[in-house]
Amino acid sequence: MLTGHPRILIVRLNLGDMTGFDFIAQVRQKAQDIYIIPALEGTEGGQVWQNLLQLELRDVLVGPVPQLEIARVLATAAPRAQEDSIKTGLPQH
């Protein structure tokens, strides 16, 4: 059962002035309690998927995503985000 509100951030990996991985690193440095969901174009190569696995980013959005798919991913990610907050001992919002 969820208590509090986990903070979830959806990040496009294809950003204009930096890579999504650089942005994710910056976010993790400043706010460790934010659960990150990468948004992919759908044409990424194997190295991108390897990086996602290494960073333990388990939930992803791929391609143009319908609203119901976003809701499904968020519903799946919310308990994981809360679990990660509990493991790290960080407050839930």
Side-chain angles (χ1 to χ4, degrees):
M1 173 179 272
L2 292 177
T3 60
H5 300 284
R7 296 183 341 161
I8 298 174
L9 176 66
I10 298 173
V11 177
R12 283 189 65 193
L13 291 186
N14 186 11
L15 300 173
D17 56 344
M18 69 171 48
T19 72
F21 290 115
D22 292 338
F23 181 74
I24 289 168
Q26 288 181 9
V27 169
R28 284 187 164 175
Q29 278 185 330
K30 295 178 182 178
Q32 296 175 2
D33 65 322
I34 294 179
Y35 189 84
I36 299 170
I37 300 173
L40 309 176
E41 302 287 324
T43 58
E44 291 80 7
Q47 185 60 46
V48 168
W49 290 98
Q50 184 66 32
N51 290 347
L52 294 172
L53 290 173
Q54 288 174 346
L55 293 171
E56 297 181 5
L57 297 169
R58 298 171 287 203
D59 296 294
V60 298
L61 295 169
V62 180
V65 183
Q67 288 180 352
L68 291 177
E69 179 67 9
I70 293 171
R72 185 191 67 73
V73 169
L74 289 174
T76 301
R80 291 181 189 173
Q82 183 176 4
E83 182 180 307
D84 285 355
S85 289
I86 291 169
K87 284 180 186 175
T88 58
L90 296 170
Q92 300 170 36
H93 299 277

